[in-house]
Every structure is written in structure tokens, then in C-alpha cells.
């Protein structure tokens, strides 16, 4: 088991949850993950990370798999201009590589925002630290574990 996945498992266990991490052939995209799990694309909680241009920190936007983050709305919610988070920033702050960023188990605290669309589901699936692993979590537990604030930041 990778170090990244061990951190996700440990974070879930520390929160009192049973980590039901599932291996998939590929879960790098929301469509891949949904097909592998057999759920709706919007049940995939994508971890989208931007760089706060003033703070220099990574900022996490957890969005439904079929939604896209609207950069202008996201910047307004974050309270600072946003730019592209490069692989080095993502790895340094979260400990994960792009394509397998989990919403939990980060190396360092991260500001997070949650797409209200995810509330339509009893259970959502999120990356478990690799592009091949996902785990199920209730929206309430996801919100509790990430400290994410619900906000409208998607396009459309």
C-alpha cells in the first residue's frame, strides 16, 4: 500500500470511519471512476486545487464529477485571485500527486470548499491517494473531515 493511501486510510480511521478503499483499473477522471464504481458521474467528489495568488497556498474545491469550477466564482469565494496549482505545490501541501488527490489525509491543512451538488447523494466517492483507488463517504462525513465550506463555485 502506498504512503499516500496509508495516510487516507489513517485519516478515515482516526475519524471513526471504516475505510472501504476500492481499487479500480483507473480513476484519474470522474468519468473513469464512475464507470469503475458503477455510479453517477456527479457522485464522484473531484478534488480540484488552485493556487491562491496572494497566499501562495493550495486551495481545495470539492466538486461533483460532472461540474466544472468557475474560476471567477472560486476566486471570489476564496477571497483572492486564483492561479494554476503546479504539481510541486500540490505535492508539498497535500502529499498527493495530481490525479490521486484525496480530500482527506493531507500533509498540511488546506482551505476547502464544497459543491452543494454533492448533497444530492447519500454517498459520494473520492480519490484515496492514487489514480487507482477510491473510497465511499457520506457528504456529512466529507464536510466534517475536510472542514469544507459549502459554496456555489461551479460553471453553469
Amino acid at each position: 500500500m502506498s504512503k499516500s493511501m496509508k495516510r487516507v486510510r489513517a485519516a478515515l480511521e482516526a475519524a471513526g470511519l471504516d475505510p472501504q478503499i476500492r481499487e479500480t483499473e483507473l480513476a484519474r477522471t470522474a468519468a473513469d471512476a464512475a464507470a469503475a464504481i458503477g455510479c453517477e458521474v456527479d457522485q464522484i467528489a473531484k478534488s480540484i486545487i488552485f493556487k491562491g495568488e496572494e497566499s501562495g497556498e493550495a486551495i481545495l474545491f470539492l466538486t461533483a464529477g460532472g461540474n466544472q469550477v468557475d474560476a471567477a466564482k472560486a476566486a471570489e469565494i476564496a477571497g483572492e485571485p486564483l492561479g494554476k496549482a503546479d504539481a510541486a505545490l500540490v505535492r508539498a501541501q497535500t502529499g498527493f500527486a495530481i490525479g490521486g488527490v484525496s480530500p482527506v489525509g493531507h500533509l498540511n491543512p488546506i482551505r476547502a470548499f464544497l459543491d452543494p451538488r454533492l448533497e444530492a447523494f447519500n454517498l459520494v466517492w473520492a480519490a484515496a491517494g492514487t489514480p487507482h483507488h477510491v473510497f465511499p463517504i457520506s457528504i456529512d462525513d466529507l464536510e466534517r473531515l475536510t472542514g469544507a465550506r459549502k459554496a456555489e463555485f461551479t460553471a453553469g
Side-chain angles (χ1 to χ4, degrees), residues 37-59:
I37 296 302
C39 68
E40 290 184 43
V41 171
D42 278 354
Q43 278 182 272
I44 302 301
K46 294 190 298 191
S47 294
I48 307 297
I49 298 189
F50 286 91
K51 176 184 177 184
E53 293 294 346
E54 293 168 359
S55 66
E57 295 179 349
I59 302 170

Side-chain angles (χ1 to χ4, degrees), residues 17-28:
L17 301 176
D18 176 20
Q20 298 174 30
I21 296 173
R22 186 184 295 181
E23 185 171 5
T24 65
E25 187 172 316
L26 187 63
R28 190 174 296 276

Side-chain angles (χ1 to χ4, degrees), residues 2-156:
S2 73
K3 285 189 228 177
S4 295
M5 195 173 13
K6 284 180 184 175
R7 280 199 327 277
V8 172
R9 178 179 292 284
L12 294 171
E13 287 173 344
L17 301 176
D18 176 20
Q20 298 174 30
I21 296 173
R22 186 184 295 181
E23 185 171 5
T24 65
E25 187 172 316
L26 187 63
R28 190 174 296 276
T29 69
D32 291 340
I37 296 302
C39 68
E40 290 184 43
V41 171
D42 278 354
Q43 278 182 272
I44 302 301
K46 294 190 298 191
S47 294
I48 307 297
I49 298 189
F50 286 91
K51 176 184 177 184
E53 293 294 346
E54 293 168 359
S55 66
E57 295 179 349
I59 302 170
L60 174 63
F61 291 85
L62 295 166
T63 187
N67 283 348
Q68 297 295 317
V69 176
D70 179 303
K73 289 179 185 176
E76 185 175 323
I77 289 162
E80 65 180 303
L82 299 176
K84 184 177 187 214
D86 65 20
L89 175 66
V90 172
R91 172 84 67 182
Q93 188 156 354
T94 70
F96 301 114
I98 293 173
V101 176
S102 176
V104 302
H106 296 176
L107 291 178
N108 300 291
I110 190 168
R111 272 193 299 158
F113 299 93
L114 184 72
D115 180 355
R117 170 69 179 121
L118 293 168
E119 291 181 299
F121 305 100
N122 293 326
L123 203 64
V124 296
W125 293 83
T130 83
H132 298 279
H133 294 88
V134 294
F135 68 94
I137 189 167
S138 73
I139 194 68
D140 290 339
D141 285 333
L142 182 63
E143 189 174 5
R144 176 175 60 90
L145 268 62
T146 61
R149 183 171 61 103
K150 289 180 200 150
E152 294 286 347
F153 56 79
T154 59

